[in-house]
Every structure is written in structure tokens, then in C-alpha cells.
Amino acid sequence: MDASREVGRDVLLELLEDAHRAPTHGLTQPWRFQVFTGAARARLADGLQELYDRVTPPASRNEEKRAKIGAAPRLAPVVIAVAARVVPGGKIPEIEEVAATACAVQNLMLSAHANGLGGYWSTPAVAMSAEFAAWLGLDETHRMMGLLYLGYPQEGKPPAPSPRDPLAAHVVFYAE
Ligand SMILES: Cc1cc2nc3c(=O)[nH]c(=O)nc-3n(C[C@H](O)[C@H](O)[C@H](O)COP(=O)(O)O)c2cc1C
């Protein structure tokens, strides 16, 4: 991504409006987005590294991973933290609220592509943790679903290949 090229607020609002049209059982609209741009990205990166230090058991610590968590938000002009609100004992089960939020993310990513942006969804353990939800000011009814990194692609840099298996390996048709 071109870290120096900002993404306009109008473009971001279009992406978020598209996300907000996702299907939702019972119209609970469980998706929550917190958008970090400009100097807020460094605050996010530092916060994630502090959380990494707090939640990672010493035996699992990985300095490379820690450095990546601190660097990634500074390399993308927009980082969006995604959470799904799940009401404990509510009418809509957790899997459906997580699925609806994933649909919202896909809407957002398709809209990003249509607007000339590149992006990816990233789910390091720290960004999926309850501690990160608390850091974001979200209560325990929120389940973290990771981070979306968005930005304009660098000039002349083709997207990384993203191959798929033959479709037939994933689909079964029944006609009678
Ligand atoms: C739920 C989910 C979690 C993901 N987590 C990661 C991740 O932590 N790190 C990563 O490099 N890619 C992750 N990906 C994959 C990328 O977001 C992206 O889809 C992949 O690099 C392929 O690129 P493409 O979708 O543009 O083809 C995740 C994808 C999904 C759907």
C-alpha cells in the first residue's frame, strides 16, 4: 500500500455504508467498526504491542510477530478494528452474528476494491482478544474479529497471486 496517500472520509463513509447493508438475522446489525487514520494509527500500533506483551505467555513470545503488529498499522493509511456484538442468551446465536459481521466485512472489501483500494483482513491473536475489545472501550458483549488494513496500491505493484482450487473440489450439484 501507498502509506503516504490518504483515503478521503467520503470514500470511507461509502465503504462503511456498504458494509452496513449486510444481511442480519433479526436486524440486530451486530457489526461494529472503529476506524483509525492519521496519528491514531500509531496509538493503535503502540496499544496492540502493549497488549501483546500483556496477553502473550512468555513461552509463545515472538519478537518478529511483535514488531509486525507495531509496524503494520503505520504502513496502511486506514486500519479498521472489527467487532461483532453478541447478546448473551439473546435470540440470535453467536455464529449468526459473527457470520453477519463477516458479510459486512466482505461488503466493505468489495466496496474498497470498487473504489480502487487494496486491503486485507488480519487476525493476530492480540486483535481477536477480549483485552483488545476492552482497549477499544467495548464491553464483554463484543467479540473481536480482527483488523482491516486499507489503502491505495503502490504504483506499478501488481497484487499478490491468490490462487484457488478447481471449483469442483468445493461444490456438489444435485439435480434429482
Ligand atoms: C477471517 C479471515 C482472517 C484472515 N486473517 C489473516 C491474517 O491474520 N493474516 C493474513 O496475512 N491474512 C489473513 N487473511 C487473508 C487475507 O485477508 C486475504 O484474504 C488473503 O491475503 C488473500 O487475498 P485476496 O483476498 O485479496 O485474494 C484472513 C482472511 C479472512 C477471511
Side-chain angles (χ1 to χ4, degrees):
M1 282 170 210
D2 182 346
S4 66
R5 190 171 163 201
E6 284 184 18
V7 181
R9 178 65 66 96
D10 51 337
V11 173
L12 283 178
L13 283 172
E14 183 177 329
L15 269 48
L16 292 159
E17 287 284 0
D18 289 336
H20 197 43
R21 295 305 311 172
T24 156
H25 189 177
L27 297 181
T28 56
Q29 304 159 68
W31 44 83
R32 300 290 184 272
F33 299 110
Q34 295 199 9
V35 184
F36 292 82
T37 60
R41 292 170 307 142
R43 191 165 56 78
L44 171 68
D46 293 344
L48 285 168
Q49 279 190 322
E50 278 166 33
L51 286 176
Y52 181 85
D53 295 341
R54 186 141 46 97
V55 304
T56 312
S60 321
R61 258 185 85 91
N62 177 325
E63 285 311 317
E64 209 176 299
K65 214 176 240 181
R66 185 182 187 278
K68 214 170 150 189
I69 285 166
R74 293 176 161 95
L75 293 171
V78 182
V79 190
I80 304 181
V82 182
R85 176 144 198 266
V86 182
V87 177
K91 195 166 63 115
I92 311 300
E94 175 166 337
I95 191 171
E96 294 191 38
E97 300 299 37
V98 169
T101 303
C103 289
V105 168
Q106 180 70 347
N107 274 10
L108 192 154
M109 288 309 210
L110 291 171
S111 185
H113 184 76
N115 276 284
L117 292 162
Y120 68 99
W121 189 349
S122 174
T123 46
V126 65
M128 302 292 278
S129 68
E131 288 82 356
F132 185 42
W135 188 87
L136 292 167
L138 298 171
D139 69 22
E140 64 287 347
T141 64
H142 295 83
R143 163 97 189 261
M144 288 315 301
M145 291 184 60
L147 300 163
L148 308 178
Y149 290 98
L150 296 168
Y152 292 101
Q154 284 177 29
E155 287 285 334
K157 249 197 155 179
S162 184
R164 295 293 184 270
D165 303 332
L167 180 63
H170 294 258
V171 180
V172 179
F173 281 99
Y174 300 99
E176 55 192 62

